[in-house]
Amino acid sequence: QVQLVESGGGLVQAGGSLRLACAASGLTFSSYAMGWFRQAPGKEREFVASISWSGGGSTDYDDFVKGRFTISRDNAKNTVYLQMNNLKPEDTAVYYCAAARSWSDSTWKREFEYRYWGQGTQVSVSS
């Protein structure tokens, strides 16, 4: 049974930082590209960042987080991270990690490309 479990969310002031983690089990982690998505109240879920299976290869970010967020992974620990710096109130959302089976060093931005999803972790940024 595949499980993705996010942690690290919480309440932070604008300008602060948080580091999210997503621990994966039940799959061959190094065969999956990993992604982070988020959903704010009343809005659709949106892409945040993705990283290819090798970790040292490709990464991709949406424009609104470029330069502030960094995605990384540790294949030995079956964990993907999202370091979030200079947080803004508009970053408030539930953050989800997801896994996409890959056969190349590619990143993925669309929800349907991801097979497994975590339950989400709340990030709240106060002004």
Side-chain angles (χ1 to χ4, degrees):
Q1 181 182 1
V2 175
Q3 283 193 312
L4 302 178
V5 180
E6 301 97 336
S7 61
L11 174 64
V12 65
Q13 288 188 329
S17 298
L18 283 173
R19 188 193 195 202
L20 305 183
C22 172
S25 61
L27 51 73
T28 303
F29 186 70
S30 58
S31 296
Y32 285 78
M34 299 298 294
W36 286 96
F37 291 76
R38 68 186 186 186
Q39 187 168 22
K43 296 187 177 181
E44 293 186 351
R45 189 156 56 184
E46 61 185 5
F47 169 77
V48 175
S50 64
I51 187 166
S52 64
W53 58 1
S54 69
S58 303
T59 58
D60 195 11
Y61 299 89
D62 203 278
D63 287 344
F64 50 77
V65 304
K66 278 181 180 177
R68 299 189 297 124
F69 291 11
T70 302
I71 189 171
S72 62
R73 65 189 293 161
D74 185 340
N75 284 352
K77 295 182 178 180
N78 286 5
T79 301
V80 62
Y81 304 96
L82 185 68
Q83 177 66 44
M84 305 185 294
N85 297 329
N86 191 21
L87 282 161
K88 304 177 180 182
E90 51 265 42
D91 294 318
T92 295
V94 176
Y95 283 71
Y96 299 89
C97 73
R101 185 69 171 90
S102 293
W103 288 267
S104 64
D105 194 33
S106 300
T107 56
W108 310 103
K109 301 180 69 168
R110 295 171 292 184
E111 288 189 47
F112 73 86
E113 293 169 320
Y114 288 83
R115 181 172 181 180
Y116 301 110
W117 292 81
Q119 82 290 347
T121 186
Q122 176 70 47
V123 171
S124 299
V125 185
S126 63
S127 56

